[in-house]
Amino acid sequence: MSATSSCALFSALSAELSAMMQTVDGLSGMAADHVRQSQGGARDRALVDAQSIDDLSQRLSALSEVAAAVARGEDVAAAIGGVRLADLQSRLRGVVLASAPIAAPRPTAGDLLLFE
C-alpha cells in the first residue's frame, strides 16, 4: 500500500470513529437520563452502564485522534504517545513496538475521565 493510500485510509478511519462517537454520545445522554430516574440497585447498575458508555466514548476519541495523527504523517509511536488513556496507550504501544502481547481491555482498565 502506498503512503498516500495509507494516509487516506487512516483519515477515513478517523472520520468513521468520529461518526461512531456521535452515536455513543447520544447513548450517553440516554444512560444519564436513566441514572437520574433510577433508584437503589437499579441506579447503581445504570451508573455502571453509563460509565461503560463513557469509557467507550473516550476510547473511540483516542483511536480517532491516533488515526488522524497518522493520516497527517506523524510518527506512529508519537501518535500513540498522545493517547491519554494509559491502558489503551499501553496496548497500542505493545502492538507497535512488539513489546507485549495483545490483551483484551479489562472492564475497569484505563484512566477514565468520567463525564468530562
Side-chain angles (χ1 to χ4, degrees):
M1 181 180 295
S2 72
T4 302
S5 295
S6 295
C7 287
L9 172 63
F10 280 105
S11 182
L13 286 172
S14 178
E16 288 292 326
L17 291 164
S18 292
M20 288 178 198
M21 286 171 31
Q22 292 176 2
T23 300
V24 171
D25 286 345
L27 292 172
S28 180
M30 290 172 44
D33 289 342
H34 186 60
V35 168
R36 283 190 289 276
Q37 296 171 4
S38 298
Q39 296 178 357
R43 184 178 192 285
D44 294 343
R45 287 186 300 278
L47 186 55
V48 169
D49 290 343
Q51 290 170 338
S52 295
I53 293 169
D54 188 57
D55 173 54
L56 177 60
S57 177
Q58 290 178 57
R59 289 181 14 218
L60 285 171
S61 177
L63 292 171
S64 177
E65 290 170 10
V66 168
V70 172
R72 290 189 304 269
E74 289 184 32
D75 177 67
V76 174
I80 291 170
V83 173
R84 297 186 309 169
L85 300 172
D87 195 55
L88 177 59
Q89 184 187 87
S90 177
R91 286 193 310 276
L92 294 175
R93 193 175 301 283
V95 171
V96 170
L97 302 177
S99 62
I102 299 171
R106 296 180 316 239
T108 58
D111 302 325
L112 295 181
L113 305 170
L114 297 178
F115 306 105
E116 184 176 70

